[in-house]
């Protein structure tokens, strides 16, 4: 990323606000003219008063006239300057804030279009992506302010003051011009020296806030293991490094700031000596007033350059962060492709043929998969953790595309389907990450934004969560994220019921539910499976046994398939899993207990 490219890229974001830029620039231009008025007024006043004194015939009315004119001009100038500064700040800020809003929205809109593989890349992990976006937006919007609002007027004001100095006297002008490059060089050196440390500061700040967040999130673990001291020590190290770095930055800044003030003072002294000398030798055009005039103009020349360092720093930041930001914004290759096929009705028969799949990080998750998934039946995917079960669902919902092989839905290649339409017809209940910040009602309604409140209540009832919601002080308005894991899972199930799709994918839908809730949910799922395609991934033996067809997976391959009984008889992966589940449930003892003391649960 270089400055020209950066300029080009942000120009398109500034274009909608070009009028604001123009107004601000004009105002700033007027402002830089006005800034020179003090010098001119002082020059004229000193000369006028001086003349009065020299003439030895002090006429009070003339003196009063001079003072009244000065007062009017200076006060008038201040009033005008106040309005201009206000308008200039307001319009400048308005533009910056709007550009920042547009940048944030643009990147969000773009990211929503990207395919899943974009988010699984190492560089795009949630936290990293967010940091890149935040830093990008804030540094780019300051760049916009620098490029379009600050930089030009800054130079304008400096150059204008220099021109005035030159036109009053070429030698004084040259002296001022000599100081300027020295001043700029010091400023650039300062920015360069501080660059690395400033970057460190930013990284320390991020680590610090991350550290605090970590402590809050894991406070129960920290306390239960009595690890307060270790956590405190970790933070202490960070604080110490941060403080050292901070001191270095301050020390260097003070040194350079001092140097700059010194150079400026030397310049001022030189100008006073030179102008005084020129006045004494009665150089044409040089009057006493010109001493003050040049001193004030010189301060107008140097003052804006002081800001150059800030701009220089921010430009450097922008060059670093813009790259990361525009990598996200311009990743057009990552936009999810979509076919056009939108049948009137989806039957829900999938056919997976010879499918291989590798995740973007290189993990080969599926090898040569063949499956037939039929509507009206419950298909169970079983296998140990990591066998590739969820990956199969990821491919069926087009989160990823297979490396090779084909997936067909109702005889049509999945790629040809309109992705939006396809997902509209699939309901997924996943293991985690399914509850958004918001009320319970909003969370259920996510399944169908047009649903009535009665529909939401109905869905909650089907998911056996209605009574628990009503028991909460705020009912459906309670915050969903405060619910327990099992309750959240039922909210997700309610959402799926509300969506009412012909195809249903359930990835461990009852993993965090208690036995009673599991039984209730199982009943609900059984009730809706009619004429639908249901794929269930489960470790719950009761759900597996109740399915119509099972695919037993191992290390990314389908090892066995068939109905539960024949698969069990076959032996192998499925039998191993069922036997292990039975042992873990302590089935023998359970049966014994129920047989001896139960009221016939087992056999009714
Ligand atoms: P299961 O659902 O059977 O537990 P998965 O389908 O989740 O298994 O995972 C299969 C393999 O793919 C595992 O090795 C897992 O580590 C890997 N995997 C899963 N999701 C991703 C991902 N987003 N990026 C990279 N690898 C993944």
């Amino acid at each position: 990323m270089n400055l020209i490219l950066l300029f080009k890229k942000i120009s398109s974001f500034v274009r909608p606000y070009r009028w604001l830029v123009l107004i601000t620039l004009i105002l700033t231009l007027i402002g830089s003219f006005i800034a020179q008025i003090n010098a001119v007024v002082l020059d004229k006043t000193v000369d006028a008063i001086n003349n009065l004194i020299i003439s030895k015939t002090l006429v009070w009315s003339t003196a009063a006239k001079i003072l009244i004119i000065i007062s009017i001009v200076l006060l008038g100038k201040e009033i005008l300057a106040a309005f201009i500064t206000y308008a200039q700040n307001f319009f400048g800020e308005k533009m910056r804030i709007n550009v920042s809003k547009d940048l944030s929205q643009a990147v969000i809109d773009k990211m929503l279009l990207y395919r899943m593989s974009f988010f699984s890349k190492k560089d795009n992990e949630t936290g990293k992506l967010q940091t890149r976006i935040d830093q990008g937006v804030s540094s780019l919007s300051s760049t916009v302010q620098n490029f379009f609002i600050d930089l030009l007027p800054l130079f304008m004001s400096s150059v204008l003051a220099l021109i005035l100095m030159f036109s009053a006297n070429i030698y004084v002008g040259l002296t001022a011009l000599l100081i300027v490059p020295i001043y700029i060089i010091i400023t650039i050196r300062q920015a360069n020296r501080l660059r690395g440390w400033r970057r460190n500061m930013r990284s320390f700040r991020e680590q610090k806030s991350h550290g605090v967040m970590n402590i809050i999130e894991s406070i129960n673990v920290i306390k239960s293991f009595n690890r307060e001291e270790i956590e405190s020590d970790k933070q202490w190290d960070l604080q110490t490094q941060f403080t050292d770095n901070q001191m270095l930055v301050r020390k260097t800044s003070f040194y350079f700031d001092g140097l700059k003030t010194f150079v400026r003072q030397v310049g001022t002294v030189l100008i006073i000596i030179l102008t005084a000398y020129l006045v004494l030798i009665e150089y044409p055009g040089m009057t006493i007033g010109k001493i003050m005039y040049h001193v004030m103009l010189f301060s107008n020349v140097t003052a804006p350059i002081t800001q150059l360092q800030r701009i220089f720093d921010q430009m450097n930041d922008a060059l670093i962060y813009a790259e990361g930001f525009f990598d996200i914004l311009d990743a057009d290759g990552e936009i999810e492709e979509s076919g056009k096929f939108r049948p009137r009705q989806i039957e829900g028969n999938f056919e997976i043929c010879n499918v291989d799949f590798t995740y973007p990080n290189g993990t080969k998750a599926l090898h040569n998969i063949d499956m037939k998934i039929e509507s009206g039946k419950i298909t169970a995917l079983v296998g140990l953790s990591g066998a590739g079960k969820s990956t199969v669902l990821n491919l069926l919902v087009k989160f990823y595309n297979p490396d090779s092989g084909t997936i067909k839905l109702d005889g049509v290649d999945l790629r040809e389907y309109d992705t939006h339409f396809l997902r509209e017809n699939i309901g997924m209940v996943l293991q985690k990450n399914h509850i958004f910040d918001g009320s319970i009602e909003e969370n259920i309604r996510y399944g169908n934004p047009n649903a009535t409140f009665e529909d939401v209540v109905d869905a909650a009832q089907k998911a056996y969560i209605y009574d628990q919601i009503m028991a909460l002080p705020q009912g459906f308005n309670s915050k969903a994220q405060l619910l327990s894991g099992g309750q959240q899972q039922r909210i997700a199930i309610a959402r799926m019921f509300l969506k009412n799709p012909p195809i249903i994918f359930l990835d461990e839908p009852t993993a965090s539910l208690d036995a009673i809730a599991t039984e209730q949910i199982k009943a609900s799922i059984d009730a809706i499976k009619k004429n639908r395609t249901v794929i269930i991934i489960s470790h719950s033996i009761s759900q597996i046994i109740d399915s119509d067809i099972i695919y037993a997976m191992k290390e990314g391959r389908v090892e066995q398939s068939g109905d539960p009984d024949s698969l069990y008889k076959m032996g192998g992966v499925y039998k191993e899993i069922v036997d292990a589940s039975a042992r873990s449930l302590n089935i023998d003892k359970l049966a014994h207990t129920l047989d001896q003391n139960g009221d016939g649960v087992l056999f009714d």
Side-chain angles (χ1 to χ4, degrees), residues 120 359 361 363 365 384-391 400:
S120 342
Y359 276 106
N361 69 352
T363 309
L384 301 181
S385 191
K389 305 178 297 289
S390 308
T391 307
Y400 299 93

Side-chain angles (χ1 to χ4, degrees), residues 37-71:
I37 286 182
N38 276 2
V40 178
V41 169
L42 209 65
D43 170 32
K44 301 282 177 227
T45 315
V46 171
D47 285 349
I49 291 178
N50 194 36
N51 286 340
L52 278 183
I53 294 168
I54 291 169
S55 67
K56 295 247 167 43
T57 50
L58 183 58
V59 183
W60 279 106
S61 63
T62 320
K65 214 167 102 190
I66 294 172
L67 290 177
I68 288 170
I69 294 175
I70 297 171
S71 312

